[in-house]
Amino acid sequence: MTKNLDELKIPKTLIFGTTGFIGKYLFNFYKSFFPDIPSFSRKNSNFDLENLIFPSNDFLKEIKPTYAIISAAISKINICEEDTKKAYKINVTGTLKLIEFLTKNDITPIWFSSDYVFDGNVGSYSEESLTNPITEYGKQKEILEKEIPKITKGNHLIIRPGRVYSLNLDDKTIFSEIFSHLIEEKAYRAAKDQFFSLTYIEDLIRGIVKLQTMNARGIFHICAKEKINRYQLALIIADKLSLSMKNLFSIKLDDLEETFKRPKNTSMQNAKFYKSTNLEIRDINTILDLKKKEIYTSAYE
Ligand SMILES: NC(=O)c1ccc[n+]([C@@H]2O[C@H](COP(=O)([O-])OP(=O)(O)OC[C@H]3O[C@@H](n4cnc5c(N)ncnc54)[C@H](OP(=O)(O)O)[C@@H]3O)[C@@H](O)[C@H]2O)c1
């Protein structure tokens, strides 16, 4: 076991927010290499960003992690709009305190930002593109992108994933939402005028591990190259998985009549990540071709 770990150079990594979608996958991955890592969540009463409940210094010294991934946040865009104060307390104040605490303990933080730091006017954003968020969620992410480097003095990783999906129908992702509607023959209204990038959950984990093993630091987009809208994505899912398209309707984002505006084109380039790691982040067609069977098994079991 130790020899393998040395060969793979997977560093000991804590996960904060293990009940969430991304956190759950990350935790299962690192736990399989480091069975002694604890699961930090509100459910376990050992972690809370709102009330600043963190592990003790002594506990960290005992576990000796090299990295900590923060996957805890108020990640729903509408909740950030509706309860801005609470979201700020968690996403900004609490998260910065946790990053300070980790840095003091010589643990390199890895934190997730988002494509919502961009205003969505042009798309194809690189890591160097200017940020100009138009939602509260994006504004909170932008504050952290600016503050983290001051705290860590550059010893951090900031990851901007695309829309992250798994093929597990129990995970409430963009894939499960579209697939469930189509297979149950329920009407699905998908916007044609909002473009984004996609990231398959396994590729996100592979990408993070690769950056860790290279000792990379700074900000990286981990997403597939393709720029896609929800309607196109639904067409691909229907086509690849032989589902009827008769209940699929194209709409405009504004037809949703949300109380706030969303950015229209937050697609991102992944050239910096690819150049640094030589790792391909697979597009949706590739993933569906590879995993078709698994999806059917999970849908009909
Ligand atoms: N999913 C995506 O497509 C995507 C894309 C780009 C960026 N991101 C970012 O990636 C990160 C993880 O996203 P996700 O999709 O996994 O989010 P998620 O499923 O909503 O999970 C959020 C996690 O945060 C925890 N949390 C909420 N409030 C907390 C608090 N006060 N103290 C401690 N933990 C708290 C939740 O715990 P409870 O179970 O206790 O509520 C849950 O474990 C977020 O920063 C998100 O903004 C996600």
Side-chain angles (χ1 to χ4, degrees), residues 17-23 42 47-50 71-76 90 112-114 137 141 161-164:
T18 48
T19 54
F21 163 51
I22 297 176
R42 286 195 292 194
F47 170 56
D48 189 334
L49 284 171
E50 191 175 2
S71 56
I74 300 293
S75 67
K76 300 283 173 285
I90 293 167
F112 294 111
S113 186
S114 157
Y137 171 77
K141 291 290 189 195
R163 214 58 58 86
V164 187

Side-chain angles (χ1 to χ4, degrees), residues 45-155:
S45 311
N46 58 1
F47 170 56
D48 189 334
L49 284 171
E50 191 175 2
N51 298 302
L52 305 181
I53 299 173
F54 303 149
S56 69
N57 293 321
D58 287 349
F59 185 75
L60 291 184
K61 280 192 186 105
E62 204 182 295
I63 301 272
K64 294 193 192 74
T66 317
Y67 287 87
I69 304 180
I70 304 164
S71 56
I74 300 293
S75 67
K76 300 283 173 285
I77 287 102
N78 60 324
I79 296 178
C80 293
E81 296 292 331
E82 286 156 19
D83 200 346
T84 303
K85 242 177 143 179
K86 183 170 174 186
Y88 192 96
K89 213 171 163 194
I90 293 167
N91 289 351
V92 180
T93 316
T95 308
L96 287 175
K97 285 265 183 251
L98 175 60
I99 286 170
E100 252 175 59
F101 170 73
L102 294 169
T103 301
K104 276 191 190 138
N105 280 282
D106 292 324
I107 299 167
T108 304
I110 302 180
W111 171 79
F112 294 111
S113 186
S114 157
D115 55 349
Y116 268 56
V117 292
F118 299 115
D119 58 22
N121 290 337
V122 289
S124 277
Y125 296 107
S126 77
E127 287 80 347
E128 281 72 45
S129 300
L130 282 184
T131 57
N132 183 31
I134 62 168
T135 60
E136 181 58 32
Y137 171 77
K139 285 175 191 163
Q140 294 179 359
K141 291 290 189 195
E142 187 194 49
I143 295 172
L144 262 81
E145 285 195 2
K146 291 190 171 147
E147 291 302 313
I148 290 173
K150 294 182 198 161
I151 298 172
T152 66
K153 305 201 166 48
N155 187 27

